[in-house]
Amino acid sequence: MSTQHGTPHDSRRDRGLFRTKTVEQSILDTEEPEHTLKKSLSALDLTVFGVGVVIGTGIFVLTGKIAKEQAGPAVALSFVVAGVVCALAALCYAEFASTVPVAGSAYTFSYASLGELPAWIIGWDLILELALGCAVVAVGWSGYIRELLDGAGWHLPSGLAGTHEGHFGFDLLACILVLVLTAILVFGMKLSSRVTAVVVAIKVTVVLLVIIVGAFFISGANYEPFVPPSEPNTAGGGLAAPLAQLMFGFAPSNFGTMGIFAAAAVVFFAFIGFDIVATAAEETRNPQRDVPRGILGSLAICTVLYVAVSVVVTGMEKYSKLSTEAPLADAFKDLGHPFYADVISFGAAVGLTSVCMILLLGQSRVFFAMSRDGLLPRVFSRAHPKYGTPYRSTIALGVVVAVVSGFTSIDVLAELVNIGTLFAFVVVAIGVVLLRRSRPDLPRSFRTPWVPVVPMLSVLASLWLMLNLPAETWVRFGIWMVAGFGIYFVYGRSHSRLGIRNRQAGKG
């Protein structure tokens, strides 16, 4: 056995593709003057970030769409099931974030528990997830703004209105949004948190207004039957079919008890984003206490809001009559209240702004952490001397995402965001178990209960949801991963700071 920073570890793990970076070294690297991020966030700021990224248009669209197509009024139970799955993952994230309060989220956690190659793969995966997610959200925001402009009699030239319905063009509004949010992120986390707080306050107010007002239009008859009779799901064949169907011949069903769980696999994606709270751990004043509070608090708030909205929308109008594009807004229109429909559209447009910004924040922190470790060019790991933000990685990624969003259709590669998130959940859950065994001495201000039961349940739940994704999504994800392996072996492995340290120390 050898020691490093006064802590025991297995010398065999210093070698090769699975060399691990100690928690102590990860924390020590954050103290280097050129690579130090400014600590300015509180538990409230983190909770606001979590709510800001999770609550998007999904709460106004997905609730009614899934009720009509898969679960009926029991969609509320689907949100509960999805919330439980996320809670399992959140407990694992909370322990890691309180133990390793360093930028990078699942990437940093994996480096400390699984090794360098798994850490690279999960970091590469997170960059894909967050970049594509931000681009798709920006395109959605652009669509809402174009509708508002059209209503006011202002029309963008077709060549600057984006790619949609067979028309190819550059989405100027989406590109501008990403560039403006990039600038806000460069000017400091406190400014970013203030902007996010204002946006979140607006959209949560809209959600609460919808819940309270909608409650007065609920009819008990619309809840009957609460769990509609089961119907076979005629999913597409070939690569468009869920992987589980191709592997096991499993034919999913809509409605009924199985419909509730099938719907949970879909509405789960409305929760994506709470894990981004962990990427801001290094910029939090008291990360051991506040990051777990931010993760679990934001998830709890979002689950309650999702369930409440689903109960209201299925009570206002029969599930079979709900529209699939704007079910909540259309329900108010059908009841003769177009004003509330406009309020919902406004809330959705405002809400997407914070979603986009926090996705940008998350990916820049992962990129920054990977660059600081030498797995990506070190030029991107400099913190701004005045604002204390990773400005180079933020600007570089912001420009790339702005260009991608300009040419991205709203439905292109969206599933890749989902599979990327679930893959991260699996890795983090496994990492919690491994770090408990390899480093039981580490101080943990938050401990995941019932280890290894909770992490293993998180792994199984995430894998089950991944199997419900189309096979073609797995193919695209595999191509991205192969590209990541290539970059690691060509550049990352030889430039790794951990590898250089180990070679200098004669450890291989």
Side-chain angles (χ1 to χ4, degrees):
M1 299 292 285
S2 63
T3 60
Q4 184 173 354
H5 304 291
T7 58
H9 68 286
D10 188 343
S11 61
R12 291 173 297 178
R13 306 198 74 182
D14 289 327
R15 300 177 180 273
L17 303 178
F18 296 93
R19 54 196 176 205
T20 56
K21 182 179 180 182
T22 64
V23 174
E24 291 79 8
Q25 185 62 56
S26 294
I27 295 174
L28 202 61
D29 286 348
T30 69
E31 298 171 359
E32 297 173 345
E34 291 182 338
H35 311 293
T36 299
L37 300 179
K38 186 176 181 180
K39 295 182 180 293
S40 59
L41 301 179
S42 65
L44 178 60
D45 292 324
L46 295 175
T47 302
V48 168
F49 275 137
V51 175
V53 73
V54 174
I55 300 294
T57 51
I59 197 168
F60 304 115
V61 177
L62 199 60
T63 46
K65 177 179 172 63
I66 300 304
K68 180 175 183 176
E69 297 179 350
Q70 287 189 285
V75 67
L77 299 180
S78 299
F79 274 108
V80 172
V81 171
V84 170
V85 173
C86 290
L88 294 172
L91 290 170
C92 298
Y93 269 89
E95 174 168 327
F96 253 133
S98 67
T99 309
V100 194
V102 177
S105 185
Y107 158 75
T108 303
F109 307 158
S110 301
Y111 214 157
S113 56
L114 298 174
E116 185 171 280
L117 181 60
W120 163 267
I121 290 301
I122 198 65
W124 186 243
D125 161 65
L126 287 172
I127 291 172
L128 170 75
E129 169 202 339
L130 300 174
L132 286 181
C134 181
V136 171
V137 169
V139 173
W141 176 88
S142 173
Y144 277 106
I145 299 302
R146 284 199 306 272
E147 287 184 11
L148 292 174
L149 291 176
D150 290 343
W154 299 339
H155 306 287
L156 281 177
S158 59
L160 299 177
T163 300
H164 53 88
E165 297 177 358
H167 166 77
F168 180 79
F170 183 77
D171 197 327
L172 179 64
L173 292 176
C175 180
I176 291 175
L177 172 68
V178 174
L179 292 177
V180 169
L181 295 179
T182 297
I184 292 174
L185 288 172
V186 167
F187 288 131
M189 280 294 281
K190 201 60 188 177
L191 173 62
S192 304
S193 68
R194 286 170 180 165
V195 172
T196 303
V198 172
V199 172
V200 170
I202 292 172
K203 67 179 176 181
V204 170
T205 299
V206 171
V207 171
L208 292 176
L209 180 67
V210 167
I211 293 171
I212 294 170
V213 174
F216 289 97
F217 301 106
I218 289 177
S219 170
N222 291 329
Y223 292 128
E224 299 176 2
F226 189 75
V227 181
S230 178
E231 297 177 1
N233 182 354
T234 55
L239 292 179
L243 186 62
Q245 182 176 337
L246 297 180
M247 291 176 62
F248 310 116
F250 171 73
S253 64
N254 292 331
F255 306 112
T257 302
M258 289 306 297
I260 295 174
F261 291 97
V266 179
V267 301
F268 163 82
F269 304 122
F271 289 92
I272 285 178
F274 72 87
D275 52 309
I276 294 176
V277 172
T279 66
E282 194 174 325
E283 293 157 278
T284 303
R285 289 192 291 267
N286 189 345
Q288 288 82 2
R289 181 195 67 189
D290 292 344
V291 174
R293 290 182 179 181
I295 292 173
L296 298 171
S298 59
L299 179 60
I301 291 170
C302 294
T303 302
V304 171
L305 291 177
Y306 275 136
V307 171
V309 168
S310 62
V311 169
V312 167
V313 70
T314 53
M316 289 176 62
E317 192 167 37
K318 192 71 174 178
Y319 73 90
S320 57
K321 296 180 180 179
L322 290 170
S323 73
T324 56
E325 294 183 357
L328 201 52
D330 288 344
F332 276 104
K333 285 182 181 178
D334 292 344
L335 293 171
H337 295 279
F339 168 78
Y340 293 111
D342 293 338
V343 169
I344 291 170
S345 297
F346 171 75
V350 171
L352 286 180
T353 307
S354 66
V355 175
C356 195
M357 184 167 73
I358 298 167
L359 289 171
L360 276 173
L361 181 154
Q363 70 157 0
S364 65
R365 269 56 180 177
V366 174
F367 199 89
F368 169 82
M370 296 175 74
S371 173
R372 187 166 58 189
D373 289 332
L375 300 181
L376 290 170
R378 292 266 288 167
V379 67
F380 295 110
S381 64
R382 296 288 181 90
H384 195 283
K386 179 179 179 181
Y387 304 116
T389 57
Y391 68 109
R392 291 182 176 179
S393 60
T394 301
I395 292 172
L397 290 168
V399 170
V400 171
V401 173
V403 173
V404 171
S405 65
F407 293 104
T408 301
S409 175
I410 190 69
D411 55 352
V412 171
L413 302 183
E415 292 91 353
L416 278 172
V417 179
N418 306 333
I419 196 170
T421 301
L422 288 162
F423 181 61
F425 284 6
V426 170
V427 172
V428 168
I430 294 173
V432 165
V433 177
L434 294 179
L435 199 62
R436 282 278 190 101
R437 292 181 178 178
S438 64
R439 294 297 308 276
D441 58 299
L442 284 173
R444 293 169 168 84
S445 58
F446 181 91
R447 298 176 68 89
T448 303
W450 304 307
V451 172
V453 175
V454 167
M456 289 304 100
L457 287 175
S458 180
V459 169
L460 293 174
S462 298
L463 288 175
W464 174 68
L465 293 179
M466 290 173 75
L467 290 174
N468 280 276
L469 289 170
E472 60 187 355
T473 299
W474 284 80
V475 172
R476 294 188 185 115
F477 183 64
I479 292 172
W480 178 260
M481 288 292 107
V482 169
F485 274 106
I487 294 174
Y488 173 75
F489 285 107
V490 170
Y491 181 89
R493 187 182 185 189
S494 59
H495 289 80
S496 163
R497 292 183 70 194
L498 178 61
I500 293 172
R501 287 188 189 119
N502 289 348
R503 287 194 291 274
Q504 292 174 343
K507 295 177 180 177

